[in-house]
Amino acid sequence: MTDAFAPDATYHPWDSLIDSLVDTGYGVIHNALPPPEIDALLEEFEHLRHHDQLQRAGIGRGKEHQLRDDIRGDSIYWLNHNGPAQVRYLERMAAFKDALNYALFLGLFEFEAHFARYPAGSFYKTHVDSLQGRANRMVSTVLYLNQDWPADAGGEMVIYDPNAPERELERVIPTANTLVCFLSETIPHEVRPTTRPRASIAGWYRRNASLNGVVDPAR
């Protein structure tokens, strides 16, 4: 398989991510995008933050949705093609969806993503992104936007062994242009408390699981 389907293919080592997903259930790459695209995404994020467009994130879906500061403390804004940097990023992630489907026959239907801001002192306790058997979120991604992140600032993503959830596999420092990809149903992970504001784009590739007139995926 080649990267010819992706624009600026040298910035997209999709093959290594896909191999890591098969081998371990997750993968991490650095320098994932051309640096000007990271700068543009961060600029759009800061514009949204400055204009109070981010909303507190909660847990659960539908009637079960609730705000729980003791579990997660981020605020979010769903990407919606309203800015050129968002459009470019969504195009790139659509190319990765095609690569995943081509290589792994996952039947991925769409990609959804949101900006996420963790204020100082916030965190997200250990969780998985999709309940077993729901098959709505299949593959998760996180792209970090934090320039010059200090090693002692916290905010790392901790990835745990799905067969031994207390065993830490890797800590990912949320440095700008680092991309993490993992299987949504099986990889437990958390965001450690951060000592400074932390910015990222969280995303999910979803499979169309609609049944008997009930639309799924639904946010």
Side-chain angles (χ1 to χ4, degrees):
M1 185 175 67
T2 69
D3 291 330
F5 58 84
D8 298 334
T10 55
Y11 289 98
H12 288 277
W14 297 142
D15 287 351
S16 66
L17 271 182
I18 292 171
D19 289 344
S20 294
L21 282 176
V22 172
D23 292 341
T24 66
Y26 78 96
V28 182
I29 59 173
H30 305 285
N31 303 313
L33 300 180
E37 294 186 22
I38 294 293
D39 294 340
L41 285 166
L42 183 58
E43 183 177 349
E44 286 192 13
F45 167 84
E46 291 294 351
H47 175 82
L48 292 165
R49 183 184 67 82
H50 181 73
H51 288 84
D52 297 322
Q53 295 299 299
L54 278 69
Q55 302 293 326
R56 278 291 318 283
I59 61 170
R61 294 171 60 182
K63 294 180 179 179
E64 297 179 355
H65 183 267
Q66 55 183 318
L67 300 179
R68 288 287 303 273
D69 287 339
D70 59 323
I71 295 177
R72 68 182 296 185
D74 55 322
S75 296
I76 65 173
Y77 178 92
W78 290 95
L79 273 61
N80 54 21
H81 295 86
N82 278 350
Q86 294 181 45
V87 170
R88 181 60 166 162
Y89 182 64
L90 292 171
E91 288 174 348
R92 289 192 177 279
M93 301 311 280
F96 187 31
K97 173 179 67 67
D98 293 342
L100 286 165
N101 283 336
Y102 179 82
L104 304 180
F105 305 102
L106 293 178
L108 301 177
F109 175 71
E110 69 170 4
F111 178 74
E112 63 177 10
H114 60 60
F115 286 114
R117 180 180 187 271
Y118 285 81
S122 62
F123 53 87
Y124 196 159
K125 287 190 173 180
T126 305
H127 63 285
V128 294
D129 284 352
S130 181
L131 297 177
Q132 288 283 346
R134 289 295 301 273
N136 49 3
R137 289 176 172 175
M138 301 291 293
V139 178
S140 302
T141 66
V142 180
L143 175 72
Y144 295 111
L145 305 178
N146 310 289
Q147 303 288 359
D148 303 317
W149 188 263
D152 61 352
E156 307 98 331
M157 175 189 284
V158 184
I159 298 171
Y160 293 100
D161 185 341
N163 298 312
E166 72 285 351
R167 187 167 79 90
E168 184 177 314
L169 296 178
E170 188 163 347
R171 286 196 177 212
V172 183
I173 296 175
T175 304
N177 218 357
T178 298
L179 177 68
V180 185
C181 182
F182 54 92
L183 299 179
S184 303
E185 284 190 345
T186 59
I187 299 297
H189 57 285
E190 70 169 319
V191 176
R192 296 292 299 161
T194 178
T195 64
R196 60 176 58 196
R198 172 192 186 275
S200 62
I201 299 176
W204 300 272
Y205 291 102
R206 305 182 73 163
R207 190 166 67 187
N208 190 345
S210 301
L211 182 65
N212 296 329
V214 178
V215 177
D216 191 358
R219 284 182 191 155

